[in-house]
Amino acid sequence: MGKQENICQPTFAMILFLDEYNKRLRIDDYRGNVNDIYSYIYKEIDKETYEKWIIKARAEHLLDWISLGFSLEATVPYYFNGSDAYLLCYYTSQSRRESGETLKETELLQDVLNLPTSDYSPLSNQLIMRRAISSDAKQLSQLYRQIFTVYPTPLYEEEYLSSLLQEDSLFYIIVDKNDIVSAASAEIDYVYHNAELTDCATLPAYRKYGFMKHLLSALEAELKQRHIFCAYTIARALSFGMNAAFHQLGYIYTGRLTNNCYIYKSLEDMNVWVKDLSKSKG
């Protein structure tokens, strides 16, 4: 969903991702003159279509972006082959800038951070955890359709999921009697050697069993085998279970993205969690 554009101008080059569905744009990579990048976007981009601009900035450009009106919302340590990324945001809509759930989300986060890190029980013998294959696309799409009324990407479409699985996308699933009951994936960036853990979903009847910790741990093991050591996630700020799962697996909270994307049922704030897999055991 959305489109990527590679833009080259005399004083800069950047990879721009235009996401009309979520009314946002991302600068995923860039080099050159920061002021000229900003001027290009300001002049060329429809400010009503794209209410939120996100830049993955490097440390040496942090003050340059802030001086242009961007604000720091989160960080992803180790993102650029071990160097940190700074998630800076710029808003063209006042309503997009303001969240009505800040206090509630902060209280939930404090409850999560007070939880002890913990081990998890083994899976029942009747359950199978494995990597998903292309033939799982139909069942996976049905799972996501049951969980999410809205989602930033079209995971509820069988063809979309099938194409991801054929492209070596990394999904892990838990199966109960031939039915997929839980799933999660890792989107790997082989240029900067990081991975976003995402697409986490468990059927309501199975949520008390802690399946997500098993899936995330399996994904982490695969990432380490591929020498991907920066793992991060963007979790719904109002989801106690998802934030708790990442905290208890040793992820560090690094910030919150305001009104970041349409997910679950509406436009929501998202918490960022990061882990250095090179320091983790297993």
Side-chain angles (χ1 to χ4, degrees):
M1 190 177 293
K3 62 179 179 178
Q4 179 177 295
E5 295 185 357
N6 296 314
I7 298 173
C8 294
Q9 296 289 310
T11 59
F12 69 86
M14 67 174 166
I15 298 175
L16 186 65
F17 186 81
L18 300 171
D19 182 355
E20 288 191 17
Y21 177 78
N22 291 294
K23 297 183 179 181
R24 65 182 180 179
L25 64 81
R26 288 197 321 265
I27 304 174
D28 286 331
D29 205 359
Y30 68 92
R31 61 184 183 275
N33 190 301
V34 167
N35 286 279
D36 289 352
I37 294 173
Y38 170 80
S39 295
Y40 177 90
I41 294 174
Y42 198 86
K43 293 175 182 176
E44 300 295 331
I45 297 300
D46 182 350
K47 298 172 186 61
E48 292 185 3
T49 300
Y50 303 102
E51 301 171 336
K52 179 171 184 172
W53 308 353
I54 307 169
I55 170 71
K56 297 174 182 176
R58 293 167 175 78
E60 56 268 31
H61 300 137
L62 183 58
L63 294 181
D64 293 328
W65 289 108
I66 289 175
S67 72
L68 291 168
F70 284 74
S71 56
L72 178 64
E73 292 193 344
T75 62
V76 184
Y78 328 116
Y79 182 92
F80 293 116
N81 288 320
S83 297
D84 299 349
Y86 296 82
L87 302 184
L88 294 137
C89 299
Y90 183 97
Y91 294 87
T92 64
S93 164
Q94 184 65 28
S95 60
R96 185 70 178 248
R97 179 67 182 87
E98 297 174 350
S99 170
E101 302 287 356
T102 301
L103 182 59
K104 184 177 180 180
E105 291 164 351
T106 300
E107 290 174 347
L108 183 149
L109 176 64
Q110 289 305 314
D111 290 340
V112 166
L113 294 175
N114 286 331
L115 294 173
T117 55
S118 62
D119 295 325
Y120 41 90
S121 302
L123 289 174
S124 166
N125 290 334
Q126 74 180 39
L127 301 171
I128 297 172
M129 182 173 66
R130 61 173 173 81
R131 185 174 172 181
I133 56 178
S134 58
S135 60
D136 294 314
K138 182 176 182 178
Q139 270 207 49
L140 264 178
S141 66
Q142 292 172 344
L143 171 70
Y144 288 119
R145 197 177 297 120
Q146 290 182 69
I147 302 301
F148 298 106
T149 304
V150 293
Y151 200 73
T153 58
L155 288 178
Y156 39 80
E157 295 180 6
E158 182 181 346
E159 289 186 4
Y160 175 77
L161 272 169
S162 181
S163 66
L164 289 181
L165 293 169
Q166 289 174 9
E167 293 171 359
D168 197 37
S169 289
L170 189 56
F171 278 79
Y172 261 77
I173 57 175
I174 292 177
V175 180
D176 183 11
K177 299 176 183 176
N178 298 318
D179 294 326
I180 297 175
V181 298
S182 189
S185 77
E187 294 183 5
I188 302 174
D189 179 343
Y190 286 106
V191 175
Y192 291 116
H193 298 91
N194 61 67
E196 179 183 358
L197 300 186
T198 185
D199 305 331
C200 302
T202 302
L203 290 177
Y206 292 85
R207 287 179 184 167
K208 60 185 177 182
Y209 301 114
F211 289 171
M212 201 51 59
K213 293 177 186 177
H214 289 274
L215 292 168
L216 295 173
S217 295
L219 289 168
E220 288 180 4
E222 285 259 7
L223 293 173
K224 290 178 72 172
Q225 288 181 5
R226 303 180 189 207
H227 296 95
I228 305 292
F229 300 118
C230 171
Y232 71 98
T233 194
I234 303 174
R236 292 177 53 240
L238 289 172
S239 171
F240 183 87
M242 284 309 309
N243 286 281
F246 283 101
H247 165 67
Q248 293 186 309
L249 285 173
Y251 286 73
I252 305 300
Y253 170 77
T254 62
R256 183 179 303 145
L257 300 173
T258 301
N259 287 327
N260 192 62
C261 58
Y262 289 92
I263 187 170
Y264 193 56
K265 294 180 179 179
S266 62
L267 186 65
E268 295 204 22
D269 302 339
M270 305 292 283
N271 287 340
V272 180
W273 297 85
V274 184
K275 185 175 184 179
D276 181 356
L277 298 182
S278 72
K279 297 178 181 177
S280 64
K281 297 179 181 179

